[in-house]
Each structure stands twice: as C-alpha cells, then as structure tokens.
Amino acid sequence: MDSMNTLPVPPYVELGVHSLSGLLWTLLLLFLWHCYRMGSDLPIPGHAHAGKLKSGSRRSIMSRGGSFAGTKCSARSKLLRSDQITPFISMETEEDEGQGQGYLTPVLSHALFPAQASAEVKKLYAALQEYAKRYSWVGMGRIHKSLREQVHLNDHSAIQKPHLFFLPDVPSVPFFPRDAHRHDIEVLEANYSVILAEFKAVYQRGIDSKLGWTCVGPKGQAVFSLYSAGVSVAGNCRSCPCTYRTLLSLRTFISSNSLGSAGFWLLGPGATLGSSYGPTNTRLRCHLGLQTPSLCELVVGGEPQCWSEGHCLLVDDSFLHTVSHKGSPDSGPRVILSVDLWHPNVAAAERQALDFMFSPDL
C-alpha cells in the first residue's frame, strides 16, 4: 500500500489537471468581464432616457479625462443631480396649433394665464391644476387647451356656441344616432310606461312650487326636476322612485357635476322657446317622449325633428336650437323626460376631471 502512494503521477494526468485549472480560470475571467459589461449598460435610476445612450455618446463620456470608471461615476452623479432638480413627469404633450408649445407647457413653465380670461374660467383653471396635483395630467390635454382658449368662445360659428365650456376636437352634429348611447336609450324606452305613470301622478297633484315644480315661463312651461345641476332633488325623487332608479341604472348619466340635470319638461300649446345655446358640448341631452301632441317641433342647428311617445332623441344642445308647440289649446302640454348624458367622445379621464372641476360643491 505504501509503495503505491509513492508512485509518480503519470505525465498525462498532470497535464489534464493543469488544463482543467486553466479552463476554469478562463471561464471565471469571462464571467467577470460579462458582469462588468452588463453593469456598465444598466439604466441610470430616475432618468427618463436611461439605457438609451448610443455608443458614440458612451465614447464621448469616456474621452473627457480620468479613468473609465471614475468618468462614468461622475457622469452618472451629474445626471442624478439633474433629475432631482427637474423630475420627469408623464403627461400628454400634443402641440398647440401654430405656437409650437405643448398643451401643458404653460403649467410647467409658469406662463401666465390669459389676462382677459373671466373669473369663472380662472376658477376652472385652478380646479384643473388641483385635480392634476391629486391625480395626473395624463389625458388633460384637451381640457387644458380649452381653458386657455375659452376667451375665444365668441369667435365660434353662430351655429354652435356653448356659453360655459367648449371642449376642442369633439365631433359634433345636432342630432346623434341611437348607437351613440344604445344601452341607455334602450333602458329608458323599456321603462317608458312606468315613467309616464309616475309623471301623471305628480302632474295631477298640480303644478306648484310647493309640490316640487319650477315654472320657467308663460304658457305652461314648467320643470319637475329629479336632478338639478348635478344634485338630486330628494323630495321629487321620492315621488318618482322607479324613474329615479332608472336614472341610476344608466351608464353615462351626468349625475356628479353641475353640467348634468334630469327631469320632466312641460311646454304648453302656443308656446315657443326662442333660439338659445346649451352651456357645453361635452354632453348630449336625451329626450324621452312622454306626451307629444301634433305640431310640436325641435329645431337644432337648422335641422327639425319631432318627438315620438316612448322613443328617445339624442340632441347636442350646444347648437342653436328652438322648441315650439303649435298645437290646439286643448291638445295638452308636450311632455318629455330630459336626461343629460356624456358626449360619447369625451374620454373617461376627462369625465372624471370635469366632475371635479364642475362639482356642485365648488
């Protein structure tokens, strides 16, 4: 046994041990070099364009003197300090026509709001900034542009001129097809008979302010509001529980801001409501016909339409519109349930911001 331990190691075994050792060292060096290169390409934390430096840019950083590692650390620390001063903010940056500025550039550059803007518009602008501070500027491009250009509302064409708030780049026509709000229209029409019965019950009690009615003019013009400027009228909703529940089941009913209302509208025989504009193009008014005598007409943007009992009309009332009832005195009032719905081209983020800006509490 002892003689075996003293035998010399054959040359080929010794050569194999040295080769294996060399291979392991080579693999270790390659692994370390790979880790080093991967580390040099890691994105700089907090930088908006991290990891996108071109090779030419990397070479320019290396050539500014000092060792490779020292120069790279110096450049990285400078970028980090720069990010701490001007943090990256994710937002839309569509450009204003002819000005070469993003929608939100004035907010970040502290540019002055137009001096000729009204106090109401400045209040809305402050509300938008507060909303963005709480949530995000993402999706606020059109609203921001609208408020800065609100002073030019009077320059709009005579056919469409909302007097309170105009959202740009919203496709508009006087009357919208049913498909724009098919679900809500079908819900209202399916509940027509119940809604009509509840209207008749409150109508037969008499038209009196003490009973929830608001008289808006002569010749039988009156409103029984269920929602007024984004606030439910509790007593009237209790008088019409099925109609109230129907409103709550709608997907696009504007129930949380002062741009939205719902209620029964009466127009007596011989009455005509003169040409007027609605306050905004961000909504559509849905008219469900309850009682529609002959010779009742709605003209919006120069296009005439007649109501039909049990059916809905979708109207953009930011267009110039008139309403008339030229029926006989004994034909009774024209009655509709009017419900304000969101314009289908107003995005969800914009709806949330407008709810905040036009909150009844503000």
Side-chain angles (χ1 to χ4, degrees), residues 67-359:
S67 65
F68 173 80
T71 305
K72 183 168 58 178
C73 290
S74 174
R76 186 175 296 183
S77 64
K78 288 179 182 178
L79 287 170
L80 284 172
R81 286 196 298 270
S82 173
D83 275 6
Q84 289 170 0
I85 296 172
T86 55
F88 176 74
I89 301 175
S90 174
M91 63 179 65
E92 292 185 354
T93 56
E94 297 179 65
E95 293 187 352
D96 290 329
E97 253 182 66
Q99 294 184 1
Q101 292 184 334
Y103 276 156
L104 306 176
T105 298
V107 176
L108 302 181
S109 63
H110 307 290
L112 295 176
F113 195 72
Q116 63 271 41
S118 66
E120 181 63 27
V121 172
K122 290 179 180 178
K123 180 181 176 182
L124 291 175
Y125 187 70
L128 174 63
Q129 290 181 312
E130 177 63 24
Y131 172 84
K133 184 169 68 173
R134 294 188 186 185
Y135 303 101
S136 172
W137 278 111
V138 174
M140 298 299 103
R142 290 196 300 184
I143 295 179
H144 184 268
K145 181 182 179 182
S146 170
L147 292 175
R148 293 190 62 81
E149 296 181 352
Q150 204 75 4
V151 294
H152 304 300
L153 271 183
N154 290 332
D155 299 335
H156 288 200
S157 65
I159 195 172
Q160 186 187 25
K161 192 181 296 184
H163 57 78
L164 182 58
F165 182 81
F166 179 82
L167 189 65
D169 309 320
V170 173
S172 295
V173 291
F175 294 96
F176 273 69
R178 294 171 58 88
D179 286 343
H181 284 306
R182 176 169 293 277
H183 172 271
D184 288 354
I185 284 178
E186 289 179 350
V187 168
L188 288 168
E189 292 178 350
N191 288 277
Y192 160 70
S193 58
V194 176
I195 294 171
L196 177 61
E198 290 189 336
F199 160 72
K200 288 182 176 179
V202 297
Y203 180 68
Q204 289 169 0
R205 294 187 315 192
I207 298 177
D208 191 305
S209 59
K210 296 179 181 179
L211 298 174
W213 288 88
T214 302
C215 298
V216 294
K219 297 184 177 180
Q221 299 177 48
V223 181
F224 187 83
S225 295
L226 300 173
Y227 274 81
S228 178
V231 178
S232 63
V233 183
N236 291 358
C237 289
R238 282 193 294 269
S239 298
C240 304
C242 293
T243 305
Y244 174 66
R245 286 194 295 270
T246 300
L247 293 176
L248 295 183
S249 69
L250 302 179
R251 294 175 179 174
T252 59
F253 173 42
I254 304 177
S255 60
S256 302
N257 72 58
S258 59
L259 300 175
S261 297
F264 300 116
W265 286 71
L266 275 63
L267 186 67
T272 298
L273 301 181
S275 300
S276 60
Y277 301 94
T280 180
N281 68 329
T282 61
R283 75 181 190 190
L284 298 180
R285 291 212 132 164
C286 182
H287 292 178
L288 173 63
L290 299 180
Q291 292 182 184
T292 58
S294 60
L295 302 179
C296 293
E297 188 178 59
L298 171 65
V299 180
V300 182
E303 298 182 23
Q305 287 281 359
C306 295
W307 295 275
S308 178
E309 293 179 1
H311 297 281
C312 291
L313 283 178
L314 276 179
V315 181
D316 185 343
D317 72 335
S318 66
F319 284 86
L320 186 67
H321 59 276
T322 59
V323 182
S324 61
H325 182 353
K326 298 179 180 178
S328 61
D330 59 350
S331 61
R334 180 235 57 183
V335 184
I336 60 168
L337 173 66
S338 177
V339 183
D340 290 332
L341 307 176
W342 284 109
H343 191 292
N345 293 99
V346 178
E350 293 172 323
R351 296 177 186 183
Q352 183 176 327
L354 292 172
D355 278 344
F356 183 88
M357 293 165 57
F358 288 93
S359 170

